[in-house]
Amino acid sequence: MTNKKLARIAGLLYLIVIGTGLFAEVFVRQALRVSGDAIATAHNIQTSEMLYRLGFVADLTNFIIGLPCILIFYILFKQVNKHLATLAIFFVIIQTAIIAVNLLNQASPLLFLGGGQYLKSFQPDQLAMLSNHALDLQAEGYAIGLVFFGFYCLIIGYLIIESTFLPRILGVLYGLAGLCYIINSYAMFLSPNFASALFPYIMIPSFVGEFSVSLWLLIMGVKENKSSEKDIQ
């Protein structure tokens, strides 16, 4: 399989990753959660339980689909700088592990609101508060994971710029996406109110950077040259 074909596979996988991630974040978590109202949030989760479960499955699928995509990126960019490509792998594997384990927090509201016999001693409003706390933990864990992913994007962005088989502008956009992820996470840790106001704007460059790279890989692949024309055995 040539590098161009591998790149197109990576582009397709990356688009699936972006799609499942957007669905889980925008159409599930943000759609169901009511800021400052734990009881309303709990009600939304209970009345839209299947949607909430679909969001959980979408996130899980996101991480599974992302792994072969990461491997293909390593294959493509190790010829540019093997040490940096390896470092990028470490960053993204740590990110994936953090956010995958963090799915336990995302699943917790289903357990708290599921009506288990062992929860009968809690009042409904207490269960709603516990569910909301679990969602807060999920958001914090997700932000921690995105710090590592941000550094991954910075490294890959640099490797794209240094490569001869992808446009440099893609590297700039991808690196900017990583920087935005890092800024957003640290803003959340240092000033949650500021981060909430910043989030809609700082995520636009992140989406543009990732979407541009994935779409280019899917449609154009990579330029075949002496350093990338070897078939992958």
Side-chain angles (χ1 to χ4, degrees):
M1 185 177 293
T2 63
N3 282 358
K4 177 169 284 191
K5 290 181 180 178
L6 278 176
R8 285 177 171 158
I9 293 172
L12 176 60
L13 294 176
Y14 209 150
L15 283 179
I16 296 174
V17 168
I18 292 173
T20 53
L22 281 176
F23 172 75
E25 177 63 29
V26 176
F27 297 101
V28 179
R29 285 191 291 271
Q30 291 187 20
L32 297 181
R33 191 166 193 187
V34 181
S35 180
D37 194 334
I39 295 177
T41 299
H43 174 74
N44 289 341
I45 293 174
Q46 288 176 309
T47 56
S48 303
E49 181 179 339
M50 182 52 65
L51 177 63
Y52 191 84
R53 290 183 181 276
L54 285 173
F56 179 90
V57 171
D59 268 332
L60 186 60
T61 303
N62 179 301
F63 306 139
I64 294 171
I65 295 295
L67 291 176
C69 183
I70 292 165
L71 176 60
I72 294 174
F73 269 47
Y74 173 76
I75 292 171
L76 294 176
F77 292 109
K78 69 178 182 178
Q79 58 191 302
V80 180
N81 188 315
K82 187 174 183 179
H83 297 300
L84 284 179
T86 303
L87 180 61
I89 283 285
F90 285 135
F91 273 115
V92 80
I93 287 177
I94 292 172
Q95 175 256 345
T96 302
I98 290 172
I99 298 184
V101 172
N102 192 47
L103 284 177
L104 290 172
N105 290 318
Q106 189 169 324
S108 292
L110 294 173
L111 301 177
F112 289 133
L113 304 173
Q117 289 297 321
Y118 61 95
L119 296 172
K120 295 298 184 181
S121 59
F122 292 92
Q123 297 299 317
D125 59 335
Q126 292 176 317
L127 293 175
M129 293 295 180
L130 288 172
S131 299
N132 198 68
H133 181 62
L135 292 176
D136 285 340
L137 290 175
Q138 187 276 338
E140 291 288 333
Y142 206 87
I144 293 171
L146 285 181
V147 172
F148 290 91
F149 184 67
F151 281 105
Y152 168 81
C153 292
L154 285 174
I155 295 172
I156 295 298
Y158 172 78
L159 293 176
I160 292 175
I161 293 173
E162 290 296 305
S163 73
T164 58
F165 47 82
L166 285 173
R168 290 186 173 184
I169 184 62
L170 292 179
V172 174
L173 292 174
Y174 204 70
L176 181 61
L179 183 62
C180 287
Y181 280 129
I182 295 169
I183 292 173
N184 181 73
S185 291
Y186 275 101
M188 182 176 175
F189 301 145
L190 296 173
S191 179
N193 291 333
F194 176 71
S196 296
L198 181 67
F199 179 79
Y201 305 100
I202 203 167
M203 287 297 102
I204 293 176
S206 298
F207 173 77
V208 170
E210 290 195 80
F211 185 73
S212 299
V213 170
S214 63
L215 197 62
W216 182 278
L217 290 175
L218 176 62
I219 297 175
M220 304 298 295
V222 293
K223 185 187 302 181
E224 297 286 8
N225 53 38
K226 291 181 179 180
S227 62
S228 64
E229 64 187 358
K230 296 180 180 179
D231 288 349
I232 303 300
Q233 300 299 322

